[in-house]
Amino acid sequence: MRKLNDNVVIADLFLSEWDYDDEDEIFPKGYYVTVDFYGKRDTMYFTTGDLGRMDKWGLENSGCEGDSDLFDSANAYFEDHEREAEILASMMEEEWENNQRNGSPYNYMGARADENPSCIN
């Protein structure tokens, strides 16, 4: 759990989707993030493509679930808050590096170390 501010807390984050390349190397495809947003719980799904577009468009998610009067605000939150988006992206990187990578040549955004980082699977 990580508190981003008084009203937004990352309650849980984990790699939710992955695949293997032709060399049987694992690479990430998406992450689930559970967010407590102004006292309401929402679950967001971020693909590696979402992460790759973050510099241009903010951190958009590819799906959001929640039963909240603030759903639209929660859904767009990381698009509009750069600092919090960068913290969330660093948490995804930590999840990949510490719990999933196991020597894979891919980074948390799904790009091989020997490729351009913007080349996302």
Side-chain angles (χ1 to χ4, degrees):
M1 181 165 36
R2 182 156 182 191
K3 184 177 180 177
L4 300 182
N5 60 49
D6 288 340
N7 299 307
V8 181
V9 176
I10 305 300
D12 195 18
L13 182 152
F14 62 92
L15 180 70
S16 62
E17 190 175 353
W18 60 91
D19 205 346
Y20 293 87
D21 67 12
D22 294 338
E23 298 169 356
D24 210 27
E25 297 285 357
I26 190 171
F27 63 91
K29 294 181 78 174
Y31 300 85
Y32 271 124
V33 179
T34 303
V35 179
D36 290 335
F37 187 79
Y38 289 83
K40 304 288 185 173
R41 185 152 283 195
D42 294 291
T43 301
M44 299 176 183
Y45 177 70
F46 295 90
T47 67
T48 53
D50 297 331
L51 292 168
R53 292 184 295 275
M54 189 169 94
D55 288 342
K56 293 181 182 178
W57 307 106
L59 183 55
E60 297 176 334
N61 65 65
S62 288
C64 184
E65 299 173 6
D67 185 17
S68 168
D69 294 333
L70 301 173
F71 180 81
D72 291 338
S73 296
N75 188 38
Y77 185 79
F78 293 103
E79 293 175 48
D80 300 330
H81 294 85
E82 184 177 339
R83 182 187 75 81
E84 288 88 344
E86 289 173 0
I87 291 169
L88 179 57
S90 72
M91 291 174 69
M92 291 179 206
E93 183 175 18
E94 288 173 21
E95 164 67 7
W96 175 249
E97 293 294 328
N98 296 332
N99 300 317
Q100 307 297 331
R101 188 171 189 176
N102 296 327
S104 171
Y106 292 90
N107 68 17
Y108 76 105
M109 295 188 331
R112 287 184 70 103
D114 55 354
E115 293 177 345
N116 181 334
S118 64
C119 297
I120 305 300
N121 286 309

